[in-house]
């Protein structure tokens, strides 16, 4: 099904055509990405489309004859929430030739990406994107991007382990350290196996590891030499390793300013508390989330909802949980031993009349994945509310999140 869709040729206005990228397009795609984005984007694109797990079918182009005038690439991701794994897609490497802007080419490419994503079973799409623009395609801001904080001092003493560039053989150890770091978060998006390979080869960031007695005990992702030092995705075996990691990274560019992405509650987050300036957040920065089928997503999350109900000791056996997105509503039957399949119906404008919750569709992603939960969103969103506050605050609590993505959002 995916293959048939990805190889389809779609005619567009003005004689343009949307199709899957082919080998002969790679040079033009690289040039377009470099001109409209960053020079390293061409390298990153080749890493994706030459990888056996992604390949050229992950990329689409709009062509005017033989000329590539717009492109987008769909990455394969996974979002984990409360033990439930959600297949996900992420659109990246989007660019349009300046002469062809304003013709709806990105809209056509996003439609291609979303259809392909749905065909492979994705329940959400995640994205780092320019402000507002991707809301036009069904994305909404949902998950906070952690702050990059200034380092004010370094741990005293000398490092007892060596920092070096990561190698392919380090991937299992790095992945294990990241899994441990993410285990404390309610929502997590790890790097895919393919993404680990790409990160070793691309040039817009570096993967480093801290090694002690031939064992990798810490890892981080840093900006390349010559740029202001940013340390992201830091993970360590223990706080001693975390302090050694900070010393080792600082030694790469001694005396230069350095920022670290704070991962609250992790080993590195705890170990670095006293060495960073905890500045108040000055502006909102969030990842986009798109929910293509609310009923399918709610249905997949039934085990998590049941776990939350039982942990809170709430018994609603025989009564439906009703969630209205105003244009439609979703009923979840409460059975003796779990939640029944989601049943979707028509509009309910006043869900309070059935002791339900109202959630505007453009706030659903924030409710399911974000830091505010039902209680928080109710305080500043008039179209998010619950008649049974206790029930829906249990079902939709505030969540912590940690996202690892191909590109750093800084």
């Amino acid at each position: 099904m995916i293959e048939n869709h990805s190889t389809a040729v779609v005619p567009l206005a003005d004689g343009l055509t949307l199709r899957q990228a082919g080998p002969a397009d790679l040079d033009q795609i690289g040039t377009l990405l470099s001109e409209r984005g960053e020079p390293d984007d061409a390298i990153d694109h080749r890493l994706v489309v030459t990888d056996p797990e992604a390949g050229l079918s992950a990329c689409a182009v709009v062509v005017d004859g033989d000329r590539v005038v717009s492109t987008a690439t769909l990455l394969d991701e996974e979002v984990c929430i409360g033990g439930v794994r959600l297949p996900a897609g992420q659109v990246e490497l989007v660019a349009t030739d300046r002469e062809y802007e304003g013709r709806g080419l990105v809209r056509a490419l996003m439609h291609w990406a979303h259809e392909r994503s749905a065909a492979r079973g994705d329940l959400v799409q995640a994205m780092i994107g320019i402000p507002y623009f991707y809301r036009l395609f069904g994305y909404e801001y949902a998950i906070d991007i952690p702050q990059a904080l200034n380092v004010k001092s370094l741990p005293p003493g000398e490092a007892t382990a060596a920092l070096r560039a990561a190698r392919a053989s380090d991937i299992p150890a790095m992945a294990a350290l990241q899994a441990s770091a993410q285990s404390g978060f309610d929502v997590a998006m790890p790097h895919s196996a393919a993404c680990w390979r790409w990160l070793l080869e691309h040039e817009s960031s570096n993967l480093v590891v801290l090694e002690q007695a031939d064992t990798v005990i810490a890892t981080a992702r840093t900006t390349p030499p010559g740029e202001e030092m940013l340390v992201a995705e830091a993970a360590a075996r223990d706080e001693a390793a975390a302090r050694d990691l900070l010393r080792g990274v600082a030694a790469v560019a001694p005396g230069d300013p350095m920022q670290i992405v704070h991962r609250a509650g992790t080993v590195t987050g705890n170990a670095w508390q006293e060495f960073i300036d905890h500045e108040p957040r000055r502006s909102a920065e969030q990842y986009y989330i798109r929910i293509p089928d609310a009923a399918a997503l709610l249905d997949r999350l039934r085990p998590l909802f049941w776990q939350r109900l039982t942990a809170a000791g709430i018994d609603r056996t025989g009564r439906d949980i009703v969630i209205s997105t105003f244009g439609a509503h979703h009923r979840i039957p409460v059975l003796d031993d779990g939640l029944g399949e989601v049943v979707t119906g028509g509009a309910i404008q006043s869900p309070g009349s059935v002791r339900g919750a109202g959630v505007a569709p453009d706030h659903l992603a924030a409710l399911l994945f974000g830091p505010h939960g039902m209680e928080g969103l109710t305080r500043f969103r008039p179209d998010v509310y619950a008649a049974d506050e206790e029930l829906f605050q249990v079902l939709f609590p505030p969540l912590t999140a940690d996202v690892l993505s191909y590109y750093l959002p800084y």
Side-chain angles (χ1 to χ4, degrees):
M1 185 175 183
I2 297 175
E3 187 63 27
N4 289 339
H5 172 74
S6 64
T7 57
V9 175
V10 181
L12 304 177
D14 303 322
L16 305 182
T17 301
L18 187 155
R19 59 167 172 79
Q20 177 184 303
D25 301 318
L26 290 181
D27 288 343
Q28 288 194 66
I29 294 171
T31 299
L32 179 60
L33 290 171
S34 297
E35 289 177 349
R36 299 312 315 272
E38 300 292 337
D40 294 338
D41 289 351
I43 299 171
D44 293 339
H45 179 263
R46 281 189 180 264
L47 290 170
V48 173
V49 299
T50 58
D51 190 277
E53 288 190 26
L56 282 165
S57 64
C59 177
V61 292
V62 176
V63 294
D64 186 354
D66 294 329
R67 180 183 177 186
V68 173
V69 298
S70 192
T71 186
T73 298
L74 177 69
L75 306 182
D76 190 4
E77 305 286 1
E78 182 179 71
V79 174
C80 305
I81 174 170
V84 178
R85 297 181 178 276
L86 304 174
Q90 183 174 15
V91 182
E92 282 287 5
L93 297 164
V94 181
T96 299
D97 190 297
R98 286 185 176 86
E99 295 180 25
Y100 291 79
E101 290 182 330
R103 301 193 195 183
L105 304 189
V106 172
R107 181 174 294 278
L109 285 164
M110 295 300 289
H111 181 72
W112 168 86
H114 294 155
E115 282 199 340
R116 177 174 170 80
S117 191
R120 69 188 190 189
D122 294 344
L123 292 172
V124 295
Q125 287 91 32
M127 173 179 279
I128 305 165
I130 57 178
Y132 179 71
F133 182 67
Y134 289 97
R135 292 177 68 182
L136 299 172
F137 312 119
Y139 289 82
E140 296 299 337
Y141 291 109
I143 297 174
D144 283 352
I145 295 174
Q147 289 180 278
L149 302 175
N150 293 322
V151 175
K152 63 182 181 180
S153 62
L154 293 175
E158 298 294 327
T160 60
L163 188 78
R164 62 169 173 80
R167 300 187 287 257
S169 58
D170 299 319
I171 290 177
M174 291 189 292
L177 286 168
Q178 294 296 353
S180 178
Q182 290 195 315
S183 65
F185 292 91
D186 302 308
V187 179
M189 191 171 92
H191 285 314
S192 66
C195 189
W196 279 115
R197 295 192 293 270
W198 308 334
L199 291 177
L200 285 172
E201 300 295 332
H202 87 158
E203 298 180 0
S204 57
S205 68
N206 298 326
L207 280 176
V208 296
V209 296
L210 194 73
E211 189 175 55
Q212 186 178 70
D214 297 323
T215 299
V216 171
I217 60 172
T219 184
R221 192 171 164 190
T222 67
T223 44
E227 298 183 16
E228 183 176 353
M229 177 62 76
L230 174 72
V231 183
E233 300 181 7
R237 181 181 67 186
D238 51 40
E239 293 196 12
R243 289 189 287 272
D244 271 355
L245 176 64
L246 189 57
R247 293 188 193 98
V249 173
V252 174
D256 286 357
M258 181 167 59
Q259 289 190 315
I260 62 169
V261 177
H262 185 51
R263 301 175 85 181
T266 64
V267 171
T268 54
N270 294 334
W272 295 349
Q273 285 277 2
E274 62 183 293
F275 308 114
I276 55 180
D277 283 325
H278 293 273
E279 301 174 358
R281 184 178 285 274
R282 297 176 182 175
S283 60
E285 298 288 346
Q286 292 187 314
Y287 294 99
Y288 281 115
I289 294 289
R290 179 177 180 268
I291 299 174
D293 186 336
L297 178 57
L298 291 170
D299 202 64
R300 182 67 66 89
L301 293 176
R302 283 186 293 135
L304 176 59
F305 296 151
W306 178 249
Q307 179 186 12
R308 290 172 178 171
L309 284 178
T310 54
I314 294 179
D315 183 4
R316 285 181 56 93
T317 304
R319 289 176 288 173
D320 292 349
I321 297 168
V322 179
I323 303 164
S324 173
T325 54
F326 300 105
H329 76 278
H330 310 284
R331 290 182 179 270
I332 309 176
V334 182
L335 310 176
D336 292 334
D337 57 352
L339 301 180
E341 293 185 6
V342 173
V343 178
T344 298
I348 295 182
Q349 291 297 324
S350 301
S353 63
V354 290
R355 301 290 292 168
V359 185
D362 51 346
H363 302 320
L364 185 59
L367 180 69
L368 292 174
F369 300 102
H372 301 294
M374 176 61 78
E375 183 179 12
L377 288 175
T378 297
R379 288 199 297 268
F380 57 88
R381 296 295 187 191
D383 47 9
V384 178
Y385 62 89
D388 188 335
E389 293 183 356
E390 180 187 18
L391 170 67
F392 287 100
Q393 288 175 15
V394 165
L395 286 174
F396 304 115
L399 302 178
T400 60
D402 189 77
V403 175
L404 304 183
S405 55
Y406 193 15
Y407 290 100
L408 296 172
Y410 301 96

